[in-house]
Amino acid sequence: MRSRIFYVWRLIATGWCFLSFSLGGLILAVLVFPLINLVNLFIPESKVKYHRAQEVIHHAFRFFMWQMRVLGIMKMDVIGADKLDSDKPKLILANHPTLVDVVMLISLIKHTNCVVKKAVFRDPFMGGVVKAAGYINNDGTDAIIDQCVAALKSGDNLIIFPEGTRSVPGQDLKFQRGAAHIAARSGVDVIPVTITCDPPTLSKADKWYHIPSRPFHLTAEVGDAMDISNLIDSNEPPAIVSRRLTKYLLDYFTQRLNQFGLARARA
Amino acid sequence: MQNQDEILEQLKQVLEELFEVDPAKVKPEAHLYEDLDLDSIDAVDLVIKLKEITGKMANPEEFKSVRTVSDVVNVVHNLMQK
């Protein structure tokens, strides 16, 4: 009986989280970002454009992750979060099991850019947020590779999910090669973040009300900056370099996920 | 004038050289994206390479409908007849 009540509670809380996410986006777009634009007009941003808006989103997402925890929907563990703190521009690569991965990552990184699908830019609730933060619009063309490299070179951090979309539960990871192109061309530090979600939820196949039988446990393991310089030979065609680098990245994430799987089985 | 078999042989060389694609996989019915693991960035490289070889630029519209190896062979064949 108690677990049944808790289930209904989590269902309502999950619905509230979805609703509050959209409402929060609208409030930021209508009330907060116009204020920031006004501030920017008088006190220009010092280093990188969009940093103030990105920082507001960072704090909003920190609040959102906290809200999900206190409502009892989820637990969260982050290992090595300090590796995301450096001032140097970083390319943050992560696998993508759930809808909230990007929310969690932005909640851990004070200023960062990310690639957002075109539909979100037209979304009445989130459109204003992604525009104010200068996020990169994935219009389906290869021009986004150039935009990603330019963002990193301007000093922004950047989050990329090399899978290009959410993982399919139970299937091997499959990476597109865009992330490798961006890593090779930008030359910035590459920080891998391995994300797991147990039990799996919020995948592409799940609707919001498909909540798991118990609160889900989200973990993020931040790895050390990857040493990929020996994989990048500027004399080689990018097509070959990106293939080699993609295989390296795929092997890394597959190995880390297997480790997590084993650790969980033993626990 | 090259016939379609010769074009296919040349395409095998090009795909191996550019993208390390195993020539044994390059069959007429093979799908460029699914079977040979090319992506849209590779497709741009391929169009440029085909231009170098044939001396003629493939019409981008014509190349958009290309899905399989035999589609590429047909595009090249048509180009060389122009």
Side-chain angles (χ1 to χ4, degrees), chain A residues 118 137-144, chain B residues 40:
Chain A
K118 193 162 66 177
N137 184 348
N138 184 2
D139 57 2
T141 70
D142 297 334
I144 62 159
Chain B
S40 56

Side-chain angles (χ1 to χ4, degrees), chain A residues 174-175 177 239-240 242-243, chain B residues 7-43 46 63 66-73:
Chain A
K174 212 168 169 297
F175 279 8
R177 288 189 289 270
I240 303 295
S242 69
R243 279 171 167 75
Chain B
I7 294 171
L8 179 61
E9 283 312 308
Q10 200 170 7
L11 186 59
K12 285 184 187 180
Q13 283 179 23
V14 166
L15 290 173
E16 186 178 24
E17 178 196 334
L18 285 180
F19 311 122
E20 295 177 342
V21 173
D22 179 358
K25 285 187 180 172
V26 183
K27 300 187 179 117
E29 69 278 10
H31 195 288
L32 294 180
Y33 296 116
E34 283 152 27
D35 301 325
L36 304 184
D37 194 31
L38 301 199
D39 61 22
S40 56
I41 305 168
D42 298 331
L46 183 60
F63 220 88
V66 162
R67 293 287 177 275
T68 65
V69 168
S70 72
D71 292 343
V72 180
V73 171

Side-chain angles (χ1 to χ4, degrees), chain A residues 24-29 33 53 57 61 125-135:
Chain A
L26 197 62
I27 290 169
L28 288 181
F33 291 137
I57 297 170
F61 283 6
F125 298 101
M126 296 314 292
V129 175
V130 294
K131 280 179 208 149
Y135 290 162

Side-chain angles (χ1 to χ4, degrees), chain A residues 175 245-257:
Chain A
F175 279 8
L245 197 48
T246 300
K247 179 169 187 322
Y248 175 82
L249 296 171
L250 186 63
D251 288 348
Y252 172 89
F253 278 95
T254 304
Q255 189 258 344
R256 290 316 303 152
L257 284 174

